[in-house]
Amino acid sequence: MTTSLTVNGVQHTLAIDPSTPLLYALRNQLELNGAKFGCGLGQCGACTVLLDDQPVFGCLTPVAACEGRKVRTIESLGTQAKPGALQAAFIKHQAAQCGYCIAGMVMRAQALLEKNPHPSEAQIRAHMEPNLCRCGTHMRILGAIREVAQKPTAASQK
């Protein structure tokens, strides 16, 4: 069977079982390796990507659920040479220790900041709660998100 996916603004037609987890399609077929396989149970968040601007666990989301919808991965936010604002803040705050959870953390935070550019501390913590960091850099992660959330947006500068 074939499945059509729009990932990071690019349309792809994949010969893949529709029940295949999105994470496997991203990593194995499209070679987008930012999202990681962590637990495979939707309990860690290492595989978090955005589906129509909402964070989802790629390990639990079948590709069939993604047809006609927009999938975004960490690769859509910036590059190593030119990281996006949130990626740059994570680097500045040294939020990554082993780095395994970071793509999922960044994507979950990106979803929050796109919906609410200036969330409160409580909103940040509640939104980020599903994603885990085994290295314990949660305070640095929160600091990076707070930094981006405190910057004025283009709309607020008018």
Side-chain angles (χ1 to χ4, degrees), residues 38-98:
C39 65
L41 301 170
Q43 296 178 349
C44 74
C47 65
T48 301
V49 296
L50 302 186
L51 182 59
D52 289 339
D53 301 324
Q54 297 299 314
V56 298
F57 297 126
C59 71
L60 297 180
T61 306
V63 293
C66 302
E67 283 200 83
R69 301 171 76 186
K70 296 181 301 181
V71 177
R72 288 174 42 211
T73 68
I74 188 87
E75 289 88 353
S76 73
L77 301 183
T79 64
Q80 186 174 358
K82 188 174 175 163
L86 197 52
Q87 291 168 310
F90 270 64
I91 294 166
K92 177 183 172 187
H93 287 264
Q94 299 180 348
Q97 188 164 333
C98 82

Side-chain angles (χ1 to χ4, degrees), residues 11-31:
Q11 182 89 27
H12 301 275
T13 302
L14 305 177
I16 193 168
D17 183 316
S19 66
T20 301
L22 175 60
L23 178 64
Y24 297 165
L26 294 173
R27 293 182 61 82
N28 300 338
Q29 257 84 15
L30 302 179
E31 298 182 4

Side-chain angles (χ1 to χ4, degrees), residues 117-118 147-157:
H118 305 292
E147 179 177 309
V148 175
Q150 291 169 356
K151 289 183 179 179
T153 60
S156 68
Q157 292 177 335

